[in-house]
Amino acid sequence: MRVLIVDDELEFLELMEKRLSRRGLEVVTAADGKTALARVEESVKEPEENRLKVVVMDVRMPGMDGLETLRQMKSIASDLPVILLTGHAAVGVAMDGLELGAFDYMLKPVPITELIAKMEEAIAHNA
């Protein structure tokens, strides 16, 4: 499973990359919305087996936030499932994300096993 993790907290990105890689996932990271969009644009040009299968993205990021990134991402790859990560205070924003086409949202901090299960569910739902 090839996944894109998008978060402006670099420590969180590094931790997720290590933890998911140890479980056999291929992890691509982006520290902001613009980089995430570039990664998705690169992915859609790849053969199907090399493409990103799911995106896990923080809602709150400086510059281009998660919702705007999601909006633009869906115009590039409408079938790519996106799981939003949010804190308790931003649940309303995450609900807005569902209306924009996010597969689901999860509250931070998210247990790694639950996140992997949600990513697998998103991919299966999209197949």
Side-chain angles (χ1 to χ4, degrees):
M1 180 182 346
R2 189 163 187 241
V3 303
L4 172 61
I5 309 292
V6 186
D7 199 300
D8 61 309
E9 295 176 37
L10 296 180
E11 288 178 16
F12 177 79
L13 271 185
E14 290 170 6
L15 177 66
M16 293 302 289
E17 184 173 18
K18 283 179 190 170
R19 294 182 77 191
L20 293 172
S21 294
R22 272 192 229 131
R23 294 170 192 256
L25 281 70
E26 183 182 343
V27 181
V28 177
T29 61
D32 58 59
K34 288 188 183 214
T35 305
L37 294 174
R39 301 268 194 274
V40 171
E41 285 178 352
E42 292 165 12
S43 174
V44 297
K45 297 174 187 171
E46 296 283 334
E48 181 65 35
E49 64 273 7
N50 297 338
R51 290 184 187 165
L52 292 167
K53 302 300 180 211
V54 64
V55 176
V56 176
M57 180 166 50
D58 191 16
V59 172
R60 300 237 170 169
M61 295 184 292
M64 185 186 302
D65 70 7
L67 293 185
E68 182 56 31
T69 304
L70 172 65
R71 188 177 287 114
Q72 292 186 35
M73 198 174 278
K74 286 297 179 178
S75 71
I76 298 166
S78 61
D79 60 339
L80 182 62
V82 177
I83 299 166
L84 298 174
L85 296 181
T86 185
H88 288 281
V91 170
V93 175
M95 297 299 286
D96 293 341
L98 295 176
E99 292 177 17
L100 291 172
F103 176 75
D104 207 346
Y105 72 92
M106 300 182 82
L107 295 178
K108 279 181 160 182
V110 59
I112 199 78
T113 52
E114 288 180 28
L115 179 60
I116 292 171
K118 184 63 72 177
M119 289 189 293
E120 289 171 345
E121 180 186 337
I123 292 167
H125 182 267
N126 224 39

